[in-house]
């Protein structure tokens, strides 16, 4: 029993030391980002760790420490006026913690980040799209390293909290080191709002255009195609943008192909894609995770895929709608 208690105390001590180490490390990281005037955005697969997440972690630890201090004081001063003050302090802390948690959840859930790479892969633009009630904003950043992004001081303010990137009402153009984003203000003026950034001198310019002045075709979409409507597909397209087209498996005599985007032992995650203008466009996630796959078209124009696992078991699938949906044969 004594050994169990000692082990428990030991683990609690290790956990406390780990939390304090993380607290100091994250606090130092936030101070560095403030001093160099950069925002924190660490991307891992489809998940983004933001500066807001780190601040909330520090707030949570700070509240936890304050609760611990009050608990120690309550054991020492458990009677009279001090007890009332300490109980009241506990209530105030709980209210403030719940309020800060509510603000954190609201701010995090109302902002989505999108990644756009230049054709030469030298620049990576991050578009932060925020919508709160009737307030909307698209702000642009440039990624400088895996940890920090720099604010380009380029903003678009759609009316009525509209989210044009999420709704695929946008157009992107690259001209060497110049990046242009145009969004359709569907909830307001019904016009296109464009912001252009020269990534060499950070010069920013704006333009309003009538709907008939911007012809957005499928070829103009440099990072996404018209059939990509939902948030999950946007995230999958962002994964494709970071992969090499050389790793894709091309289906003969067609503009389609297959690419592995994740591997866990013998299991693989495959995407069905379309090649367009030397880019890969996401169409669907394939229903099988076997390591070997090949595809072909039949005489009726249907797409056929054959998967083979490590035990040489074979599964066949067919798509009659250009690879959007699959059924097992």
């Amino acid at each position: 029993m004594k050994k169990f208690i000692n082990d428990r105390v030991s683990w609690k001590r290790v956990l406390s030391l780990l939390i304090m180490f993380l607290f100091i490390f994250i606090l130092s990281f936030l101070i560095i980002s403030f001093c160099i005037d950069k925002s924190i955005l660490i991307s891992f697969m489809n998940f983004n760790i933001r500066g807001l997440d780190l601040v909330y972690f520090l707030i949570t630890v700070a509240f936890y420490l304050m609760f611990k201090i009050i608990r120690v004081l309550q054991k020492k001063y458990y009677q009279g006026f001090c007890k009332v003050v300490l109980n009241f302090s506990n209530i105030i802390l709980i209210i403030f913690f719940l309020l800060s948690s509510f603000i954190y959840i609201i701010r995090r859930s109302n902002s989505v980040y999108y990644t756009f790479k230049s054709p030469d892969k030298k620049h990576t633009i991050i578009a932060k799209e925020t919508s709160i009630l009737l307030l909307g904003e698209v702000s642009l950043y440039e990624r400088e390293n895996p940890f920090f992004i720099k604010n380009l001081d380029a903003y678009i303010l759609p009316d009525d909290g509209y989210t044009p990137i999420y709704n695929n009402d946008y157009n992107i153009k690259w001209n060497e080191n110049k990046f242009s984003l145009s969004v359709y203000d569907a909830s307001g003026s019904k016009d296109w709002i464009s912001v252009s950034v020269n990534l060499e001198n950070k010069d920013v310019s704006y333009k309003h255009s009538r709907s008939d002045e911007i012809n957005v075709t499928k070829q103009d979409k440099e990072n996404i195609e018209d059939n990509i409507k939902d948030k999950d597909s946007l995230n999958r397209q962002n994964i494709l943008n970071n992969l090499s087209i050389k790793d894709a498996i091309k289906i003969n005599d067609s503009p389609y192909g297959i690419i592995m985007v994740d591997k866990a032992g013998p299991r693989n995650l495959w995407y069905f894609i379309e090649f367009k203008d030397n880019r890969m466009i996401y169409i669907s996630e394939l229903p099988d995770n076997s390591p070997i796959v090949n595809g072909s078209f039949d005489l009726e124009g249907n797409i056929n895929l054959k998967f083979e696992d490590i035990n040489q078991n074979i599964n066949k699938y067919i798509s009659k709608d250009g690879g959007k949906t699959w059924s097992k044969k």
Side-chain angles (χ1 to χ4, degrees), residues 80-312:
F81 180 72
C82 290
K83 180 180 179 181
V84 174
V85 172
L86 292 172
N87 288 338
F88 181 74
S89 300
N90 250 337
I91 295 172
I92 295 297
L93 281 177
I94 291 172
I95 292 173
F96 272 97
F97 179 69
L98 292 176
L99 181 61
S100 62
S101 299
F102 176 75
I103 294 173
Y104 165 74
I105 292 171
I106 293 297
R107 291 194 60 184
R108 203 185 197 290
S109 62
N110 289 326
S111 296
V112 180
Y113 290 86
Y114 301 93
T115 301
F116 305 103
K117 287 184 176 291
S118 62
D120 58 9
K121 305 298 182 182
K122 291 182 179 180
H123 299 282
T124 301
I125 297 296
I126 307 294
K128 178 185 177 183
E129 189 171 57
T130 304
S131 177
I132 302 177
L133 298 178
L134 298 179
L135 301 176
E137 179 181 305
V138 179
S139 49
L140 299 182
Y141 301 79
E142 183 177 13
R143 181 168 289 285
E144 297 203 335
N145 55 56
F147 306 103
F148 297 110
I149 57 176
K150 182 175 179 58
N151 193 343
L152 296 174
D153 294 321
Y155 307 91
I156 297 177
L157 304 174
D159 283 343
D160 300 334
Y162 185 61
T163 50
I165 300 180
Y166 175 77
N167 287 285
N168 203 26
D169 285 333
Y170 74 98
N171 182 35
I172 291 174
K173 289 188 181 296
W174 287 91
N175 183 9
E176 296 182 350
N177 292 321
K178 189 173 182 180
F179 172 83
S180 296
L181 171 67
S182 301
V183 302
Y184 183 53
D185 192 16
S187 297
S189 62
K190 307 295 184 181
D191 289 339
W192 286 83
I193 308 172
S194 303
V195 57
S196 299
V197 183
N198 189 320
L199 298 175
E200 288 187 345
N201 57 23
K202 308 305 179 186
D203 182 54
V204 179
S205 60
Y206 297 89
K207 180 182 178 182
H208 285 254
S209 305
R210 297 191 311 273
S211 297
D212 57 359
E213 290 179 334
I214 295 184
N215 180 26
V216 182
T217 65
K218 290 186 178 181
Q219 288 74 21
D220 290 328
K221 301 279 186 179
E222 300 218 356
N223 284 74
I224 196 165
E225 208 180 31
D226 283 339
N227 65 334
I228 301 178
K229 299 291 184 182
D230 58 277
K231 183 178 176 181
D232 289 339
S233 295
L234 286 170
N235 291 332
R236 292 176 178 130
Q237 180 64 40
N238 284 333
I239 293 174
L240 281 179
N241 294 338
N242 294 314
L243 299 178
S244 173
I245 197 171
K246 297 178 181 177
D247 296 329
I249 302 171
K250 194 175 187 304
I251 299 178
N252 292 335
D253 302 321
S254 79
Y256 299 105
I258 308 157
I259 188 168
M260 182 179 68
V261 296
D262 194 17
K263 182 177 178 65
R267 298 178 177 273
N268 303 273
L269 177 61
W270 299 93
Y271 284 176
F272 187 75
I273 56 174
E274 181 180 5
F275 299 102
K276 181 167 290 190
D277 299 330
N278 202 32
R279 296 179 296 115
M280 295 184 291
I281 305 299
Y282 172 82
I283 296 179
S284 65
E285 181 178 317
L286 295 181
D288 202 296
N289 52 30
S290 300
I292 301 175
V293 58
N294 59 70
S296 63
F297 277 79
D298 58 28
L299 295 177
E300 297 178 356
N302 301 319
I303 306 169
N304 294 272
L305 297 181
K306 183 172 75 172
F307 287 87
E308 183 177 341
D309 63 20
I310 57 175
N311 297 317
Q312 296 183 337

Side-chain angles (χ1 to χ4, degrees), residues 36-51:
I36 63 177
D37 193 25
K38 302 288 192 303
S39 298
I40 297 172
L41 184 67
I42 305 171
S43 299
F44 180 75
M45 295 298 289
N46 292 333
F47 186 75
N48 292 315
I49 300 175
R50 319 172 188 186

Side-chain angles (χ1 to χ4, degrees), residues 57-71:
F57 174 81
L58 295 185
I59 291 174
T60 303
V61 174
F63 274 112
Y64 172 76
L65 292 176
M66 286 188 282
F67 281 123
K68 293 282 286 186
I69 292 171
I70 290 176
R71 186 177 179 183

